[in-house]
Amino acid sequence: MYRSPVIAKVRAVPVRGNWLFLSLPIAVAIWQYFSEGTASAVLALLIFLGLYLGFCFQALLQAAAAWTLKVGLRDVTLLPLSVIVRLTWISEKPVYELGVHIAGVLARVLQVGVLYAILVFAGIPISPQTDFSAVDGALFCNRLFWMSIVMLIIDCVPVFPTSMGFLFRAALAMNAKRIRATEITSYLGTFVSLICIGFGFYTKYPYLMLLGVYFLIWSQQELADVRYFASIRKRYGSTSKSPAMVLPEDQVIDIDSRPTVPNFTGFTFNARTKLWIEWKNGEPISANALIGN
């Protein structure tokens, strides 16, 4: 996720495309071209386009949930198989995250429901179609419907870094420290990813191996992020002899970076100053600039 280029801005919120953003559709299109032909490669690219439009809808619904909960959006990052909505709050008790990630799961369900309605209304067969000799609208809608179901199933695995995974982590963090909740989710995600890689290798199914590698990488990335913030908290704790905040409070904290929940403990991001502000029991105790994050 680090240093992903900004490809658009929506209401001043950066929308980023990860460097691996286009790698998966290109790789799949090349594979389909050599295994099934040109028509199959074109169909694969069109299906990915449809999936990415679904990712945008999911991000929009999550953004609406965040704004409703009065939480700011730091950025939205499009990944090869998911979308990551990063908030300006990182709390030890992330109640607000539950609503944001529930909205992400609902967005997936709505996508499948709309595609199902289109198939029924247009009289397109719902059973999976496997004839790729010609690309037409019916085949595209049918394959996009089933790929959306696959994405919904993946999104509902509670240990992957998807909406349900973040929802599971937030629920764990309500009764444990955030870093401990992330470690549990990451370890379980790593275990399931290794199973996917091993089973894909055994069955000689490359897509399953690719899926396992993808979620293995992002599970470790999420854990590294949380551990980094935990190290900052230790470094600038109450035992530090040097001041952590060297600027006047009114220059560091504005209305958008001030948490609205009582006794907030965690970090909030100030987009204007590019600073992460650490809070303890509702009081600011430090401000940190994280280069590259």
Side-chain angles (χ1 to χ4, degrees):
M1 269 188 284
Y2 293 131
R3 302 188 185 278
S4 298
V6 177
I7 59 177
K9 280 194 175 183
V10 180
R11 291 184 59 177
V13 176
V15 178
R16 303 179 182 275
N18 185 262
W19 294 108
L20 298 175
F21 176 52
L22 296 177
S23 61
L24 185 61
I26 292 174
V28 171
I30 293 174
W31 177 273
Q32 292 298 120
Y33 173 78
F34 286 104
S35 61
E36 300 288 343
T38 303
S40 180
V42 172
L43 180 62
L45 290 175
L46 290 175
I47 289 174
F48 270 105
L49 177 61
L51 291 176
Y52 285 145
L53 290 176
F55 293 161
C56 293
F57 173 71
Q58 183 181 21
L60 183 63
L61 208 61
Q62 288 182 293
W67 288 325
T68 301
L69 295 169
K70 303 186 184 305
V71 182
L73 289 179
R74 186 180 169 204
D75 58 26
V76 176
T77 303
L78 299 176
L79 301 176
L81 283 176
S82 61
V83 58
I84 301 293
V85 175
R86 299 200 293 180
L87 307 176
T88 56
W89 292 8
I90 299 177
S91 174
E92 283 297 306
K93 302 297 179 185
V95 179
Y96 56 89
E97 287 187 16
L98 299 175
V100 173
H101 297 307
I102 286 174
V105 177
L106 289 178
R108 292 283 196 195
V109 174
L110 284 173
Q111 293 168 39
V112 172
V114 169
L115 288 171
Y116 179 80
I118 291 174
L119 293 180
V120 173
F121 180 78
I124 299 173
I126 296 177
S127 58
Q129 303 299 300
T130 57
D131 183 7
F132 302 125
S133 58
V135 176
D136 55 23
L139 179 61
F140 167 73
C141 290
N142 178 273
R143 300 303 295 173
L144 181 59
F145 169 71
W146 283 103
M147 281 302 301
S148 297
I149 290 180
V150 171
M151 295 306 300
L152 174 61
I153 294 172
I154 293 173
D155 210 35
C156 288
V157 177
V159 294
F160 284 158
T162 58
S163 294
M164 187 61 75
F166 292 129
L167 184 63
F168 177 63
R169 193 267 304 275
L172 288 178
M174 297 304 297
N175 297 304
K177 290 185 177 181
R178 187 184 185 91
I179 186 170
R180 182 57 178 163
T182 305
E183 287 174 344
I184 292 173
T185 306
S186 178
Y187 294 155
L188 291 174
T190 299
F191 177 71
V192 175
S193 297
L194 291 175
I195 290 178
C196 290
I197 295 172
F199 190 71
F201 181 80
Y202 176 76
T203 58
K204 298 181 180 180
Y205 192 64
Y207 294 152
L208 190 57
M209 288 189 288
L210 187 63
L211 181 68
V213 171
Y214 170 77
F215 282 117
L216 178 64
I217 293 173
W218 293 117
S219 292
Q220 295 303 312
Q221 179 66 70
E222 184 66 20
L223 179 59
D225 289 345
V226 175
R227 282 177 171 170
Y228 190 67
F229 277 94
S231 70
I232 293 173
R233 181 176 290 112
K234 292 177 182 178
R235 190 180 309 150
Y236 294 107
S238 58
T239 59
S240 176
K241 296 180 180 180
S242 59
M245 184 180 290
V246 297
L247 296 175
E249 182 177 323
D250 59 355
Q251 294 185 23
V252 177
I253 303 171
D254 55 23
I255 188 171
D256 293 328
S257 58
R258 184 177 293 277
T260 57
V261 298
N263 301 319
F264 181 88
T265 296
F267 292 85
T268 63
F269 184 70
N270 188 321
R272 177 178 56 83
T273 60
K274 306 300 182 184
L275 293 174
W276 281 100
I277 303 160
E278 184 179 357
W279 300 77
K280 186 174 182 179
N281 297 325
E283 296 294 331
I285 60 174
S286 69
N288 309 282
L290 305 185
I291 305 301
N293 186 30

